[in-house]
Amino acid sequence: MEITFALIKPHAVKNIVALQYVTEIIKNNFSVLQTKEVVVTKQLASRFYEEHQGKFFYNRLVTFMGSGPSIAFVLASKDSIAKWRTILGPTKVHKAIYSSPDSIRSLYGLSDTRNACHGSDSLESASREISIIFPDFDYQEELRKQMESV
Ligand code: ATP
Ligand code: MG
């Protein structure tokens, strides 16, 4: 059992078809432990995307993330981190369309920045990202509960 963090980015929240499609996939594949609408402000984004500070796309990314509400999820399932990232497809949309045509990013990504959704890439990232967006969520305690329930 694993807990991951997923986020539907602003342009996909505005697209009702994309929003419904992604929400349905999440409900069918994971237990939703938390969900909320959140605007990833510049301040939140600077913590969330700390590892990308200084990269050429950083300002573009932070501006885009603050452009409207996102929908955040804490998800549990077996291998949830890899499973959600497979459903998402590659970061870059042209690669997603080529190598994973049925993935979310292939279907609903608009550009390498506006690539529809986010997914944590490791246990450490999941725990860190959840603590930024859901500060009251007790990762270790919830993981323990999930382990007990299987
Ligand atoms: P995410 O962290 O959003 O799930 P990822 O782990 O696949 O995506 P990262 O390398 O962590 O990709 O990049 C974080 C985000 O920064 C990407 O989702 C995308 O929005 C943006 N980004 C990454 N690389 C590029 C790029 N070359 N050009 C433009 N934007 C980029
Ligand atoms: Mg990442």
Side-chain angles (χ1 to χ4, degrees):
M1 195 46 83
E2 225 171 53
I3 293 177
T4 193
F5 176 77
L7 184 115
I8 309 179
K9 297 187 180 185
H11 73 90
V13 171
K14 286 189 192 115
N15 176 342
I16 187 74
V17 178
L19 180 62
Q20 279 176 351
Y21 181 82
V22 175
T23 312
E24 203 55 32
I25 287 191
I26 287 176
K27 278 199 249 158
N28 289 336
N29 287 279
F30 304 90
S31 304
V32 178
L33 305 185
Q34 296 279 323
T35 183
K36 73 172 175 189
E37 194 176 288
V38 58
V39 176
V40 181
T41 57
K42 264 203 164 113
Q43 202 190 2
L44 279 177
S46 70
R47 294 174 61 205
F48 195 84
Y49 285 121
E50 205 170 23
E51 65 177 303
H52 297 301
Q53 277 181 33
K55 293 189 183 163
F56 75 91
F57 58 80
Y58 180 76
N59 283 336
R60 194 189 299 172
L61 177 61
V62 166
T63 304
F64 160 57
M65 293 304 287
S67 69
S70 293
I71 301 180
F73 300 87
V74 178
L75 303 176
S77 81
K78 185 174 183 298
D79 296 327
S80 63
I81 293 176
K83 185 161 118 183
W84 175 237
R85 283 180 71 92
T86 302
I87 292 170
L88 275 186
T91 310
K92 295 194 171 168
V93 172
H94 65 92
K95 195 171 167 201
I97 292 168
Y98 182 76
S99 66
S100 312
D102 299 329
S103 67
I104 287 173
R105 284 170 167 170
S106 164
L107 295 171
Y108 295 111
L110 297 177
S111 69
D112 293 343
T113 302
R114 294 182 295 162
N115 58 359
C117 295
H118 163 84
S120 307
D121 61 9
S122 64
L123 289 170
E124 294 70 34
S125 303
S127 163
R128 191 185 71 84
E129 290 164 2
I130 290 168
S131 76
I132 294 169
I133 306 294
F134 294 97
D136 296 331
F137 186 84
D138 187 338
Y139 188 87
Q140 293 306 330
E141 172 62 12
E142 291 293 332
L143 193 56
R144 197 184 57 74
K145 280 194 216 158
Q146 292 299 316
M147 297 290 208
E148 266 177 11
S149 70
V150 288

